[in-house]
Amino acid sequence: MATDIVGQLADSLAKTGVEEGELSYKGQGRKLDDAQSVETMVKEIQDFEGLQALRLEGNTIGVEAAQAIAKALETKSEFKCCYWSDMFTGRLRSEIPPALNSLGDALMLAGAQLTVLDLSDNAFGPDGVKGIEKLLKSSACYTLQELRLNNCGMGIGGGKILAASLSHCHKKSSAEGAPLSLKVFVAGRNRLENDGATALAQAFQLMGSLEEVHMPQNGINHAGVTALASAMQHNTKLRILNLNDNTFTEKGAIAMARALKHLRSIQVINFGDCLVRPAGATAMAETVSEGLPILKELNLSFGEITEEAALAVAHAVKDKDQLQKLDLNGNYLGDNGCKALKDIMEGMNMGDLLGSLSDDEGEPEEDDDDDDDDDEDEDDEDEEKDDEEVDEEEIEEEEEEEEEEESSGNKFSTPVCAPRPPDVSSFLSFPSPDKLLKLGAKRAILIEQEVDLTDPTKAAETFLKIASVYKEENIDVKNAVLDSIDALLKKAFSCPTFQGIGFVSALLVLLGLIKSENKVKPVLVVPGHLHVLEHVVQQEYFPKESVAVLEAFMSRNNKTLQSCGNAKNSLLSTLQSVKSKC
């Protein structure tokens, strides 16, 4: 059994290993301020023949350091992939645009043809978008396939600059016979609102090549959603559409449902927490029943959907033989509605595809629908009155916020829209017991907002950072660590798309127990890592098939664990005990 699983792990590592030509400094927590601090890195970049990808995530890079790195990239004509998320933590906002400009100029000078540009979690605001504007308009981005700008605080102004840059790039590349064909666009948590979303929708419609769009938590209401809906129907290869936690209301939901009728390749629809309401859900049900032949996931949770509309959705998925999950949690079904929904799904032999209904809000109050209609009418009137003033007010608001930050001395890179204290980034960059305790009782939630737990590697990195501050003798720290780890990993492993074997693979690489082809530097293993892992393998959320994998690697003699002899022996004993009970 263990041999088979270890074999699977080896195959998984081979498949998920970094592509040839990649140099990685991911997650090393380096503070790179000047040219001297990156001397070794620069030499490695210069000496790397055929460099195609550079990973700088999880480090913090100053202007001089960025300029030195840029100089080394000027000759890398085969360069394709920029994995540069989370690399400005603690930097002044004024540092970020020149750093990005230097790197972009180098790629243009090298004649690079980019396919991936990931600058997520950099919180650079509208000015940061200006820092990549020239790059996005250049021939270096004519070949761009993935653009990831999640949690960058772009705001409306940044969204408009981004949209104009993409449109310009498409126009110029089309004139040369090879139009920009962006496939993946990620821009969640950016406060784009209606105007930013509408501007981007125009660029999306122009390109018509998108396969994945992720724009959750952007404060978009039905006007912006309607603009996006119009654009989506021109992207006929769209597979994934995630607009979670925006405000559709009936108008937006109906517009989006109509647009989806044109998309036969759609596989994942996430309109959770979007207030689609009964009319919107009914429209979605009609669209699903009439098309979407390869639909795999449909999320209409927390949308104020009532029983009748929810049952219509359930009936609509009857013939979707590729469906993997239907999420209608957090709606207005009531006990009878929940039972009826479960009965229908079980009657179609699809009961196991229905998500939890544990957060159902119960039956709606009688006057809820009337109130909702009134609210939407008032919204329309307000929009008509304020339509001419909105751009000016939003721009002034952004400028006022920046002035307030500067006057208070807070010029550091912190997300404009992030609903979390800056201590989270500080803890993840440089973990300490004190920082973890200061995050308070909601520390797990705050960390979850900062980290993409659907990514097995990021989940493993976060696990090790939290576990590194574990103190057996300090009960407060111990409980804070274990509670946080349990909450985060339980959430990760409960996600249908989370790859448990990928998490274990990444963990073994980071612990130095497996050599990685991507030159990832292992962490300095401390007893806390192993003590917390010992706790985790005993929990119900941890997959038992992974216990054998860990036991196989922990049984080997490895120098990286020599300083943790007692912790290693205790972990190995627990792994063997858990394995015997499987």
Side-chain angles (χ1 to χ4, degrees), residues 23 25 41 45 51-59 61 66 69-70 73 79-88 99-107 114 116-124 132 135 148-149 152 458:
L23 185 58
Y25 301 95
M41 183 184 294
I45 293 172
L51 181 65
Q52 296 181 25
L54 179 62
R55 289 188 174 272
L56 297 173
E57 311 104 304
N59 299 287
I61 300 174
I69 294 170
L73 290 172
F79 196 80
K80 295 179 180 179
C81 303
C82 307
Y83 297 106
W84 297 346
S85 63
D86 187 23
M87 67 174 194
F88 294 117
L100 290 173
N101 271 318
S102 297
L103 292 166
D105 288 346
L107 297 178
L114 297 184
V116 178
L117 178 57
D118 185 355
L119 289 166
S120 298
D121 300 315
N122 277 313
F124 45 47
I132 58 172
L135 174 63
R148 300 177 182 271
L149 297 168
C152 287
K458 289 184 178 179

Side-chain angles (χ1 to χ4, degrees), residues 383-396:
E383 282 178 20
E384 290 174 6
K385 291 177 183 178
D386 299 337
D387 189 48
E388 296 179 358
E389 303 174 7
V390 67
D391 286 353
E392 185 177 344
E393 289 179 357
E394 284 160 347
I395 292 170
E396 287 177 358

